[in-house]
Amino acid sequence: MEPYDALDAIDVFAAATSAFECLKGTLATADTAVLAHHELEELIEAEGRELLRLLFQAHLDGREQRERERAAHHDFGPMRGRDGRVRPHCEPGHSRLLACMFGTVTVRRTAWRGKGLTSVHPADAALSLPARLHSNGLRRLAVLEAVRGSFDLAKAAIDDRCGSVLGKRQAEQLVARAAIDIDSFYQQQVPLPASADTTLVLQFDGKGIVMRPEALRPATLKAHLTQQRAMRTRIAPGEKPNRKRMATLGCVFDADPAPRRPHDIIAPPDGRTSTRPPRPGPKARAKWLTGSVIHPPEHTIAAAFDQAEARDRDHIRTWLVLVDGARHQLDLIEDESARRGIEVTTLLDIVHVSEYVWAAAHAFHPAGTPETEAWVASHLTTILHGQAARAAAEITAEAHSRGLRGAQRDAADACVRYLTGHLDQLHYDIALARGWPIATGAIEGACRHLIGDRLEITGARWGLTGAEAILKLRALNDNGDFDAYWRHHLAREHQRLYLSPDQNNYDLTA
């Protein structure tokens, strides 16, 4: 490598050197000797950011100077664009702005031109510059801040750290752009292997996101526009605002078997004793989340099955699917497993089952009484022993014997219909004996974390692109894959912008 000329190197870094000397001089004066430490921090942060910007600018100027000298000596071969056509003429002095972590700098470089052809800037490829104003480091910071909190908070955090280099609308656009390679990233990921006796668990659930009217599904939008409200200023009890679009979330994880008994789940009516503490349940590990508000539920279910198959290509492990009992989800899961030729065991979430049993219990006993708790414990224990049909028959018989009517009978009948309608998914005796999980805590937590904590913040109204990007990026971050994904994303961005190998057919450092 040919060294830079000493005088040129001094010249390009002169402004940065002067800024450093100025800051050093300021810190050595009597005025700063009386400042508190936090005041010194603020001073050094503000002046230091400008120093870093000047250093960055000086480095870019040095690269441009070197490129200009080599171009003057005709030190490059034929320069081709992405269309493969040669640009015969070089023209130095072209510039563009780049907003970075330290402020805004100017990137000056040489353009290769040809009549009727777009200009080619090889230095852009060497620097892997983005298509728009903001640097990749600033884009990364914007994404990380935006997936944590609102776009307003993200802009404020960036302003504090980097100065005024990014607007709110620009942050929204950067986040949407940042999510475009997530699907391709996971298609090439290879999950860590697990032993054959490790249970492969899949869970699915849905949660609504408040959308702008144009982002609603057609049926919801029609209901929203034609709805006749009882009151003008607020929603009456029982009315739906019809402002949400349902997102589907999927979760895949490994779980080592942890056998249990029904009384490890439900305490006996007379309480537990210290001589027989409950056995712990299986723990989720290597958890992977996905979700979508744009695509239909079958798309998310297929993505989760793809992840599961990547973990068990030979289908030698036990596949367990846990859901809340929604019939359309059960049908989609059955169709997907049949299409792939995979045998899966489907269980209903025991917490959803218990809610139906509790609602029925209030038809027979007053709420908040020991009798209600004992009634629930008795029937849930029967269900956990794999005898859901017996529990349904006992509830029906008791409702007849007590002559329940009205809302009380409706609650008892709803519980019975839920149990008898899902008998094939209530084999908890087998699940407990084999050490499987029986609750959908992982996907319920994902709904609260991925959607509730960000997409449901007060006043948020989402468009499709923004909601999808935030949902996917939050899932990616929760999976612990953000750093690996960002490297993949930058590589793909470079390919999209500088696809032709001839675009970067010389070494600027030679």
Side-chain angles (χ1 to χ4, degrees), residues 355-369 372 375-376 408 411:
E355 291 300 319
Y356 277 91
V357 176
W358 273 103
H362 295 149
F364 297 100
H365 301 284
T369 61
T372 304
W375 191 92
V376 170
Q408 291 180 321

Side-chain angles (χ1 to χ4, degrees), residues 153-215:
L153 292 176
K155 181 186 181 308
I158 293 170
D159 287 348
D160 286 343
R161 178 172 175 180
C162 307
S164 184
V165 292
L166 182 69
K168 178 183 174 182
R169 181 61 59 86
Q170 292 170 322
E172 295 174 359
Q173 294 169 349
L174 293 181
V175 168
R177 179 71 181 178
I180 63 175
D181 294 315
I182 291 178
D183 290 340
S184 66
F185 169 73
Y186 278 119
Q187 287 171 2
Q188 67 179 35
Q189 289 294 98
V190 179
L192 293 175
S195 60
D197 58 350
T198 300
T199 308
L200 185 55
V201 185
L202 296 85
Q203 297 183 0
F204 302 97
D205 203 356
K207 189 171 179 62
I209 300 173
V210 178
M211 310 294 288
R212 301 189 189 107
E214 66 273 13

Side-chain angles (χ1 to χ4, degrees), residues 143 147 175-187 209 247-249 288-296 299-300 303-304 449-451 454-455 462 464-482 485:
V143 170
V147 299
V175 168
R177 179 71 181 178
I180 63 175
D181 294 315
I182 291 178
D183 290 340
S184 66
F185 169 73
Y186 278 119
Q187 287 171 2
I209 300 173
T248 305
L249 276 70
W288 179 85
L289 296 170
T290 189
S292 178
V293 67
I294 290 181
H295 300 292
H299 179 274
T300 300
H449 171 61
L450 298 185
I451 295 179
R454 177 63 181 93
L455 293 162
W462 293 92
L464 273 181
T465 303
E468 182 81 354
I470 289 291
L471 177 57
K472 284 181 171 290
L473 287 166
R474 283 180 70 85
L476 175 86
N477 204 36
D478 200 66
N479 294 341
D481 293 330
F482 184 83
Y485 167 71

